[in-house]
Amino acid sequence: MPLRGDLHLRGRLEQGPHGLVLRVDGGGVWELETRRRARRLVGSKVEVVGHRAGFNGLVCEQVWPARQPRPRAPWINVEYVLAAGLVGYGFMAFLGGLLGYWL
């Protein structure tokens, strides 16, 4: 298995002791780091694309039901929008405090 780059795996998604695991068709078990939406697919055959993390860890980019076309990735990531909003709010609060001090 390569240490870098994307991995595309297919197997059965199961609930493990520390989160979701993927039992690969050819043998092997991967511990997955996924979003909550993947939990609805527990018990079914899935395909996973992600980056390797450690010995048997996989940080998932996408998880979808097997034998279906890969869904398009969202063009905007909600986490980035929330982070940008928080930074913008902090900046505006800083400017407001500066103006209040000088006036």
Side-chain angles (χ1 to χ4, degrees):
M1 278 291 149
L3 292 176
R4 294 276 181 210
D6 286 343
L7 290 177
H8 185 155
L9 302 171
R10 181 181 292 158
R12 182 166 302 281
L13 189 64
E14 298 176 358
Q15 181 66 44
H18 304 291
L20 296 179
V21 295
L22 180 71
R23 295 205 181 271
V24 182
D25 293 341
V29 178
W30 291 86
E31 295 178 1
L32 302 181
E33 185 176 320
T34 64
R35 296 189 172 132
R36 288 188 159 187
R37 286 184 287 177
R39 294 196 185 281
R40 64 184 167 85
L41 297 171
V42 169
S44 60
K45 296 275 257 181
V46 296
E47 292 186 48
V48 177
V49 171
H51 298 287
R52 189 171 184 172
F55 177 70
N56 68 334
L58 190 66
V59 179
C60 299
E61 290 178 12
Q62 285 184 306
V63 179
W64 69 95
R67 297 185 190 92
Q68 291 187 7
R70 182 177 178 178
R72 288 180 30 174
W75 62 276
I76 191 165
N77 197 341
V78 175
E79 288 87 7
Y80 291 141
V81 172
L82 291 175
L86 185 62
V87 169
Y89 177 76
F91 183 68
M92 295 300 286
F94 173 75
L95 288 178
L98 216 68
L99 281 173
Y101 177 76
W102 289 107
L103 293 177

